[in-house]
Amino acid sequence: MTAMVKAEGVHKSFGAAHILKGIDLEVAPREVFCLIGPSGSGKSTFLRCINHLEKINAGRLSVDGELVGYRQRGDKLYELKDAEVARKRRDIGMVFQRFNLFPHMTALENVMEAPVQVRGEAKAVARARAERLLDRVGLADKAGNYPSQLSGGQQQRVAIARALAMEPKLMLFDEPTSALDPELVGDVLDVMRGLAEDGMTMIVVTHEMGFAREVGDALVFMDDGVVVESGHPRDVLTDPQHERTKSFLSKVL
Amino acid sequence: MSVEIDKPSGPQNAPSAVAQPIAAIPVRHYGRYVSAVIAIALLCAIVYAFAQGKINWGAIPDYFFDDRILEGVGQTMLLTVVSMLIGVVGGIVLAVMRLSKNPVMSSIAWSYIWFFRGTPVLVQLMVWFNLGLVFEYINLGPVYKDYWSSFMTPFLTALLGLGLNEAAYMAEICRAGLLSVDEGQTEASHALGMSHAKTLRRIVIPQAMRVVVPPTGNEVINMLKTTSLVSAVQYYELLRYAQDIGQSSGAPVEMLFLAAAWYLVMTSVLSVGQYYLERYYARGSSRNLPPSPLQRVRVNLLSLGRPKGGMA
């Protein structure tokens, strides 16, 4: 079985700031893979490299057996054109910390936008799917609302529906609950739990240790651009081996 | 502040509990009355002065719908609309060029803006008119060939002069609009697999419009008034016709008032259009649309001279 995401020695710098210092990891299909670590440890940057929102400087990163951002022919690498990068992104859904819904469109239009514009789907088909997805995230009655008329938790659930509308094979979650009021976090996590049960491959950058322990199949603790510790969430969270992991967990648990 | 509560204990959840309105004597704003009286008196004095002056007001209605004036109004509108179109299209192109990663493109756009914004539009108009000194002929191969002086009609001079100058201003307005859209929007759109062009067209520009429309409305109104400069290159529009009539009819100042009245009519119509355009692009940006002008007038009239709290 090929890995859904495979990283080998991935480096990334912004100018002089060396953010990722050689990341190696593998995410299996249907796996819920949690990334934890202090802020500035590079976990969000790594996530953004996976769908090529950031370009890696060194190493190899592949999704479903294909290199991210490059094509290999013989032993030469060719950079992909923008259109090819966009084509690959269709299969990778992403959910952002700040939701990033399109404010000039209703919830329904947000969910319909990519299938219609990117895949050229008929509006009726896209609308039917969008309604189904909004129902799935519990917001069937909010289809006509603009994002500004929704709470943070509702916005994030619309954002998840929007990403699912492209029927991705991989979902990336970048701290999906960090910008939410505590009482709204549960609704979003419930939707994510449902996705995990349906067998979606998910990479989740999170501070929700409870979610990681219950739903996660694998967990990586990152600090200062390297993977410090990895394993099954239950093991890492209850019995961390490294000092750095221990001190981090003692602060957040 | 202490409030007497003479309810029986307990009904915490009863929403229909009658709230006793506060019976207080409102603050009297005497200053408001005084300043209003002074302002109205001054206004009356100014109106009286103009009515007394040696101006033949009767000449204005006589010529208000004169054929030449209407022709001038039409030309002014035509010039405004077409030069604004050149300005907006040119402005978008320049703004995208300036934000481009290609240094040649962005420097060209920068220089264009530097030149056209840095020289007076009247000078630009006259230069266009006299470019025959540089280009004796205009030669587009088999398509078109003529002397510059007969190619560069007053209308074309006016259009190029006003439109190209406007493009420089519109470029800055469009650039501000594009920059005002949160980067997360572009990222979200790219993450969904949308191309650069689609992202710009479907996601970024509609949101940029909210920032772009109000200053563009200003530009349209400015343009309408700036068209009065093109009489300098022999183009006949509202002001030029009004001045002609003024000279032949012996009422030059009256005709200036007439032109001013027409400009006011046109700018007022444009302002109303701008208002509804803004409302359209504001959708989704706030929970409620702003009140329409009629609602606003009504609210203002009601609140005049009345203290907050609403005791009549």
Side-chain angles (χ1 to χ4, degrees):
Chain A
M1 193 162 62
T2 54
M4 181 59 85
V5 174
K6 188 168 183 183
E8 297 162 274
V10 169
H11 284 259
K12 171 71 192 170
S13 342
F14 293 102
H18 202 172
I19 305 296
L20 299 178
K21 302 170 182 168
I23 302 287
D24 296 281
L25 53 79
E26 222 169 284
V27 180
R30 304 175 68 83
E31 195 170 47
V32 177
F33 191 95
C34 297
L35 277 170
I36 64 169
S39 58
S41 58
K43 43 195 199 317
S44 288
T45 303
F46 178 69
L47 202 67
R48 293 158 57 82
C49 289
I50 295 173
N51 67 353
H52 209 47
L53 284 178
E54 307 290 354
K55 234 185 237 180
I56 64 175
N57 300 120
R60 290 166 68 89
L61 182 59
S62 58
V63 173
D64 208 9
E66 291 180 31
L67 282 183
V68 173
Y70 301 93
R71 185 188 307 110
Q72 187 161 24
R73 206 177 287 151
D75 52 359
K76 273 195 181 139
L77 283 184
Y78 296 87
E79 207 175 345
L80 291 183
K81 292 191 199 113
D82 287 348
E84 295 169 300
V85 172
R87 181 172 294 276
K88 291 198 169 181
R89 283 185 184 135
R90 295 179 186 188
D91 298 331
I92 305 174
M94 184 156 190
V95 175
F96 298 85
Q97 182 177 357
R98 304 282 337 164
F99 327 135
N100 293 348
L101 287 181
F102 305 134
H104 56 304
M105 300 180 187
T106 62
L108 189 75
E109 287 166 347
N110 263 282
V111 183
M112 287 170 62
E113 180 67 9
V116 172
Q117 292 299 325
V118 178
R119 264 204 314 241
E121 209 168 80
K123 279 206 172 158
V125 179
R127 176 182 297 268
R129 185 191 309 98
E131 280 166 353
R132 210 166 56 238
L133 284 169
L134 284 178
D135 186 45
R136 177 174 175 183
V137 299
L139 291 171
D141 55 329
K142 302 286 185 194
N145 287 35
Y146 285 102
S148 62
Q149 297 164 324
L150 300 173
S151 74
Q154 291 169 336
Q155 287 190 50
Q156 193 60 297
R157 284 184 279 155
V158 173
I160 293 174
R162 177 176 72 174
L164 290 176
M166 289 299 281
E167 292 169 341
K169 57 189 177 194
L170 168 67
M171 285 283 282
L172 310 175
F173 291 86
D174 188 3
E175 302 196 26
T177 57
S178 297
L180 298 179
D181 287 345
E183 57 173 344
L184 302 176
V185 168
D187 293 338
V188 172
L189 292 182
D190 284 345
V191 169
M192 291 168 62
R193 197 169 286 129
L195 270 181
E197 281 161 11
D198 291 351
M200 175 65 77
T201 312
M202 295 159 66
I203 303 181
V204 186
V205 172
T206 189
H207 294 298
E208 295 291 331
M209 300 304 157
F211 176 83
R213 184 166 21 210
E214 273 175 56
V215 185
D217 300 306
L219 182 141
V220 155
F221 172 70
M222 277 177 71
D223 188 27
D224 199 22
V226 293
V227 172
V228 175
E229 189 163 351
S230 62
H232 195 279
R234 243 186 338 264
D235 302 336
V236 179
L237 292 176
T238 49
D239 184 23
Q241 300 301 309
H242 288 71
E243 276 313 312
R244 189 67 194 88
T245 319
K246 281 179 192 163
S247 78
F248 175 74
L249 289 176
S250 70
K251 278 173 205 151
V252 297
L253 282 179
Chain B
M1 193 172 83
S2 73
V3 179
E4 280 245 13
I5 300 170
D6 52 6
K7 268 185 300 181
S9 64
Q12 299 274 336
N13 295 327
S16 61
V18 184
Q20 194 72 30
I22 297 172
I25 293 163
V27 175
R28 301 291 179 200
H29 296 273
Y30 295 109
R32 285 187 196 174
Y33 296 112
V34 173
S35 58
V37 167
I38 292 175
I40 288 173
L42 282 174
L43 267 179
C44 289
I46 292 171
V47 169
Y48 180 73
F50 271 85
Q52 280 289 294
K54 296 192 186 90
I55 292 173
N56 174 19
W57 294 106
I60 294 178
D62 288 350
Y63 285 99
F64 205 76
F65 296 107
D66 188 283
D67 285 347
R68 286 165 291 175
I69 292 293
L70 292 183
E71 166 71 13
V73 168
Q75 291 300 328
T76 293
M77 284 302 248
L78 178 71
L79 212 50
T80 306
V81 170
V82 182
S83 349
M84 252 343 264
L85 276 179
I86 297 174
V88 169
V89 172
I92 292 173
V93 171
L94 283 168
V96 172
M97 278 171 76
R98 257 206 89 173
L99 295 173
S100 142
K101 285 181 189 132
N102 184 337
V104 176
M105 286 297 159
S106 70
S107 336
I108 289 178
W110 185 90
S111 315
Y112 180 99
I113 294 166
W114 169 77
F115 180 80
F116 281 90
R117 216 172 42 163
T119 51
V121 65
L122 184 57
V123 175
Q124 287 172 28
L125 280 167
M126 299 207 265
V127 167
W128 278 111
F129 203 46
N130 294 304
L131 267 190
L133 296 177
V134 184
F135 308 103
E136 199 174 344
Y137 297 102
I138 176 155
N139 189 349
L140 301 178
V143 188
Y144 186 89
K145 184 176 177 176
D146 205 345
Y147 284 104
W148 182 269
S149 49
S150 41
F151 162 74
M152 206 27 98
T153 58
F155 182 63
L156 200 56
T157 313
L159 274 189
L160 283 178
L162 295 176
L164 296 186
N165 180 69
E166 185 57 34
Y169 287 92
M170 283 308 301
E172 290 298 273
I173 292 173
C174 294
R175 190 169 66 99
L178 294 178
L179 290 177
S180 75
V181 179
D182 184 56
E183 221 178 320
Q185 294 289 309
T186 314
E187 278 182 2
S189 166
H190 283 166
L192 286 167
M194 289 170 82
S195 65
H196 287 308
K198 271 230 160 94
T199 300
L200 205 61
R201 196 160 53 79
R202 296 282 311 171
I203 308 301
V204 178
I205 289 180
Q207 294 181 60
M209 288 305 275
R210 220 164 62 75
V211 174
V212 167
V213 166
T216 304
N218 268 345
E219 289 299 309
V220 174
I221 285 169
N222 242 327
M223 175 62 83
L224 185 96
K225 296 180 297 176
T226 310
T227 55
S228 61
L229 288 181
V230 303
S231 57
V233 291
Q234 306 307 315
Y235 188 71
Y236 273 72
E237 38 64 68
L238 176 57
L239 181 66
R240 185 65 186 247
Y241 277 115
Q243 283 178 316
D244 271 13
I245 296 173
Q247 256 143 43
S248 57
S249 70
V253 183
E254 288 77 356
M255 290 306 112
L256 292 183
F257 278 110
L258 185 151
W262 265 111
Y263 281 117
L264 270 178
V265 169
M266 288 190 276
T267 51
S268 308
V269 171
L270 290 175
S271 309
V272 173
Q274 178 189 355
Y275 181 82
Y276 283 98
L277 205 59
E278 275 176 39
R279 247 169 99 90
Y280 173 78
Y281 281 110
R283 72 196 193 285
S285 67
S286 59
R287 279 163 208 200
N288 291 307
L289 282 177
S292 75
L294 212 67
Q295 290 166 331
R296 204 170 288 181
V297 166
R298 206 175 301 148
V299 168
N300 280 344
L301 280 182
L302 288 179
S303 70
L304 190 73
R306 188 199 285 185
K308 275 181 193 144
M311 315 271 162

